[in-house]
């Protein structure tokens, strides 16, 4: 990690990407991240399996879309690289696939640039930007040089929107990305909910209450609002591990979030 990036990271404050990294068994996290992660695990020990299922959901979505002919992916809220990154899955199906990663955490971008190497035929780009600033993302020269918005693009937002409070209006931000892509494009997201495990999810939200981002669980209808102008891809609005499981529906997994994919009309 460069000195410049070290100066920009406040290791005393937990960050969602680094908490997630800890749950996945990564090493790119700090004491503040581990404290929050362990507090959540005491409330819900099944969280580790749940986040692994969330990662598996990402892989299934990208694989499905790549096989369906989508060759461009805008992955917003990338997180710290681990196994099964978007470009790896997409380019295993289509080596010419193009991927842009977006994240607002400098440590994520530091690792992305070092580890996320794409195929020779395709292209993999990384920018440091905020999901809530779609004009900056969509107008970035690296994005415009990588993605052709006159052709279908898959916008991927996995495990990020719940860290944006309602007053910041994440629906408007997602709407801006949706407006930028052409019909036939896709939106895929995962999002926490208290619809199925209300007590455990309420406890989790309380743990995150005093963190910079907090955690806002949303109901099925609230999540469906992100998909205005889209048709759900079967099986629709479901718990993430129930979205097109490979090898059948897995054993019971902590139902803490939805996994949804839509096709722009």
């Amino acid at each position: 990690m460069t000195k410049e990036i070290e100066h920009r990271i406040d290791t005393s404050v937990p960050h969602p990407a680094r908490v997630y990294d800890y749950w996945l068994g990564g090493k790119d996290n700090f004491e503040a991240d581990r404290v929050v992660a362990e507090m959540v695990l005491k409330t819900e020990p099944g969280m580790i399996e749940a986040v692994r299922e969330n990662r598996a959901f990402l892989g299934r979505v990208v694989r499905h879309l790549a096989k369906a002919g989508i060759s461009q992916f805008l992955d917003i809220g990338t997180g710290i690289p681990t196994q099964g990154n978007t470009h790896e899955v997409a380019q295993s199906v289509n080596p010419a696939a193009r991927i842009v990663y977006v994240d607002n955490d400098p440590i994520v971008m530091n690792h992305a640039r070092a580890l996320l190497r794409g195929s020779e035929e395709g292209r993999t780009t990384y920018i440091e930007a905020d999901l809530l600033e779609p004009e900056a993302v969509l107008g970035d020269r690296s994005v415009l040089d990588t993605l052709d918005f006159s052709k279908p693009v898959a916008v991927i937002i996995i495990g990020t929107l719940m860290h944006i409070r309602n007053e910041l209006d994440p629906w408007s931000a997602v709407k801006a990305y949706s407006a930028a892509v052409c019909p036939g494009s896709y939106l895929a997201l995962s999002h926490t909910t208290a619809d199925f495990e209300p007590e455990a999810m309420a406890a989790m939200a309380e743990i995150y209450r005093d963190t910079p981002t907090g955690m806002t669980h949303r109901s099925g209808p609230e999540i469906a609002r992100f998909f205005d102008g889209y048709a759900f891809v079967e099986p629709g609005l479901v718990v993430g591990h129930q979205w097109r499981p490979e090898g059948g529906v897995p054993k019971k997994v902590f139902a803490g979030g939805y996994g949804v994919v839509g096709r722009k009309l």
Side-chain angles (χ1 to χ4, degrees), residues 165-186:
R165 294 180 171 90
N166 285 342
E167 56 265 32
L168 296 176
D169 193 7
W171 292 278
S172 289
V174 172
K175 185 176 181 179
Y177 294 109
S178 296
V181 299
C182 68
S185 294
Y186 288 83

Side-chain angles (χ1 to χ4, degrees), residues 68-171:
I70 299 298
S71 61
Q72 303 188 106
F73 296 82
L74 178 61
D75 186 332
I76 308 173
T78 302
I80 294 170
T82 183
Q83 293 182 345
N85 300 294
T86 296
H87 78 284
E88 293 171 327
V89 178
Q91 291 176 352
S92 71
V93 176
N94 176 8
R98 293 179 162 232
I99 294 87
V100 173
Y101 289 108
V102 181
D103 205 286
N104 66 354
D105 183 3
I107 195 172
V108 169
M109 287 296 95
N110 183 60
H111 287 285
R113 293 185 178 99
L115 299 174
L116 301 182
R117 303 293 184 183
S119 65
E120 292 184 5
E121 301 94 326
R123 183 165 180 175
T124 306
T125 304
Y126 338 88
I127 69 167
E128 186 179 334
D130 196 306
L131 183 154
L132 289 174
E133 298 177 354
E135 292 91 355
V137 173
L138 296 167
D140 186 278
R141 178 46 54 189
S142 294
V143 175
L144 295 174
D145 286 345
T146 304
L147 303 178
D148 179 355
F149 285 93
S150 70
K151 299 178 181 178
V153 175
V155 179
I156 310 287
I157 310 176
I158 300 297
T160 301
L161 292 168
M162 66 271 201
H163 294 295
I164 302 175
R165 294 180 171 90
N166 285 342
E167 56 265 32
L168 296 176
D169 193 7
W171 292 278

